[in-house]
Amino acid sequence: MSHTWGRPASHPREGWAVIDVETSGFRPGQARILSIAALGLDADGRVEQSVVSLLNPGVDPGPTHVHGLTATMLEDQPQFADIVGELIEVLRGRTLIAHNVAFDYAFLAAEAELADAELPVDTVMCTVELARRLELGMDNLRLETLAAHWGITQERPHDAFDDALVLTRVLTPALERARELDVWLPIRPVTRRHWPNGRVTHDELRPLKVMASRMLCPYLNPGRYVTGRPLVQGMRVALAAEVGRTHEELVERILYAGLAYSDDVDRETSLVVCNETAPDQGKGYHALQLGVPVVSDAQFMDRVASVVGGTSMEVFTDPGLLDEQLALF
């Protein structure tokens, strides 16, 4: 079992690096970062280090009506390569946090590679996904909406420093709420590749469900779940749309417990998580048609806390055992 994909909010706290960037467009590597704010926080949310700077992107700044930055304002500013050393020190040993972290991390990674630099980032967390788990009853999860919910003033939307500062202030009550509800924090691993030519590339941050559906489970599938019995490592679990918790959180628990996540429902599926008792469409419906057990997300969360050990693939494919079997023939 591993805490790599998500971890309980009640676990010991760690340092965070809150990031916001304003960009000239939406495609990392083509569009460039125009301004950056990186605030290094200690475990209690106090700012210990920071990098805040406008940047000369070397390209047209794009939608000035959104970020308010013109070519004239940026022409005498440093380039990303000039500040990346300071940024690395803020990031080192901390989990990178952003509101829609896939966007910010992709741009940081692209800029780092253009500057021939390596970002010392091993984990990231998206505060949009975190907010989805907090039962806040909001119409949307935009940063300004979260700020208003907790009485935090946002003075300059789409200003990198102001957005990062607001997110820092939102983070404290959000983490407190997560601990109250005993939910998991959506922490994700990120990886890098070191090539023979000395270059370093940063792997794309893909959606967890996409990654999980391609992962090989280290345990054999023991078959279908039986009501009243515990879940067993290796069971294949599919998620219907009709659940109260986010799919991301459920997938985290599936992976942590040694279960296998499946995008599809078929005869090999062990159970489907669905809050509808008589679903007439989707994965819950397919499960009932195939005789696959269906449990609610509340029932699943209760059972996933006490999964029993399964048969390891390594044990099953042990060469010694294979030799003994062949000796019988």
Side-chain angles (χ1 to χ4, degrees):
M1 295 185 184
S2 169
H3 285 288
T4 301
W5 302 92
R7 69 166 176 80
S10 57
H11 277 202
R13 303 178 187 182
E14 59 188 82
W16 311 102
V18 176
I19 301 290
D20 190 78
V21 298
E22 297 301 321
T23 65
S24 64
F26 296 101
R27 292 189 176 184
Q30 296 180 13
R32 304 295 296 274
I33 295 179
L34 309 177
S35 65
I36 183 170
L39 307 180
L41 314 181
D42 64 15
D44 294 318
R46 293 185 292 262
V47 178
E48 295 181 310
Q49 295 172 281
S50 65
V51 175
V52 179
S53 182
L54 296 177
L55 297 174
N56 182 346
V59 298
D60 185 272
T64 298
H65 66 283
V66 174
H67 49 62
L69 301 174
T70 66
T72 301
M73 295 169 63
L74 301 174
E75 62 183 356
D76 294 326
Q77 300 299 327
Q79 296 184 328
F80 185 88
D82 298 322
I83 59 94
V84 70
E86 297 175 71
L87 176 63
I88 285 171
E89 292 309 310
V90 173
L91 297 176
R92 194 182 306 279
R94 295 183 170 101
T95 292
L96 187 154
I97 294 181
H99 207 60
N100 188 10
V101 74
F103 178 88
D104 294 77
Y105 180 74
F107 269 93
L108 289 177
E111 291 283 0
E113 290 170 18
L114 289 172
D116 198 21
E118 178 179 357
L119 300 178
V121 177
D122 296 315
T123 51
V124 301
M125 183 173 77
C126 181
T127 47
V128 176
E129 173 58 26
L130 174 60
R132 288 194 182 106
R133 306 179 182 193
L134 301 183
E135 301 176 8
L136 300 175
M138 296 178 173
D139 292 334
N140 65 73
L141 298 174
R142 292 194 294 266
L143 182 58
E144 57 265 33
T145 306
L146 294 176
H149 175 77
W150 277 301
I152 298 165
T153 301
Q154 186 174 29
E155 297 180 356
R156 299 183 305 279
H158 297 294
D159 174 271
F161 178 56
D162 191 63
D163 283 352
L165 197 58
V166 168
L167 186 55
T168 296
R169 292 169 177 165
V170 163
L171 184 62
T172 298
L175 292 175
E176 290 176 358
R177 176 70 172 166
R179 287 189 287 271
E180 289 172 4
L181 296 177
D182 194 28
V183 302
W184 280 31
L185 303 181
I187 293 174
R188 301 280 174 270
V190 290
T191 54
R192 302 179 290 282
R193 299 172 191 262
H194 295 79
W195 300 97
N197 62 5
R199 298 281 295 176
V200 177
T201 55
H202 303 74
D203 291 337
E204 180 184 355
L205 184 62
R206 294 185 175 91
L208 177 55
K209 287 175 65 176
V210 173
M211 299 286 289
S213 66
R214 298 174 181 174
M215 289 181 184
L216 291 177
C217 183
Y219 303 97
L220 292 175
N221 184 355
R224 290 182 178 173
Y225 169 70
V226 177
T227 302
R229 295 183 182 178
L231 296 171
V232 181
Q233 288 179 327
M235 283 185 168
R236 289 183 58 191
V237 182
L239 305 176
E242 300 82 8
V243 291
R245 292 179 179 265
T246 73
H247 277 198
E248 291 262 329
E249 184 177 12
L250 293 170
V251 172
E252 288 168 3
R253 301 302 294 269
I254 289 168
L255 297 179
Y256 177 72
L259 304 171
Y261 169 72
S262 176
D263 254 343
D264 302 311
V265 178
D266 55 32
R267 298 187 184 280
E268 299 299 316
T269 304
S270 303
L271 78 157
V272 172
V273 181
C274 178
N275 286 4
E276 293 286 340
T277 55
D280 55 7
Q281 63 178 11
K283 292 177 182 175
Y285 174 79
H286 287 308
L288 294 182
Q289 294 298 303
L290 293 171
V292 174
V294 174
V295 300
S296 69
D297 58 6
Q299 292 170 324
F300 175 76
M301 293 297 281
D302 179 62
R303 287 158 177 73
V304 79
S306 54
V307 175
V308 301
T311 302
S312 169
M313 286 286 193
E314 292 182 1
V315 172
F316 184 75
T317 57
D318 184 89
L321 296 178
L322 182 60
D323 290 342
E324 291 177 9
Q325 291 174 348
L326 292 175
L328 298 175
F329 295 92

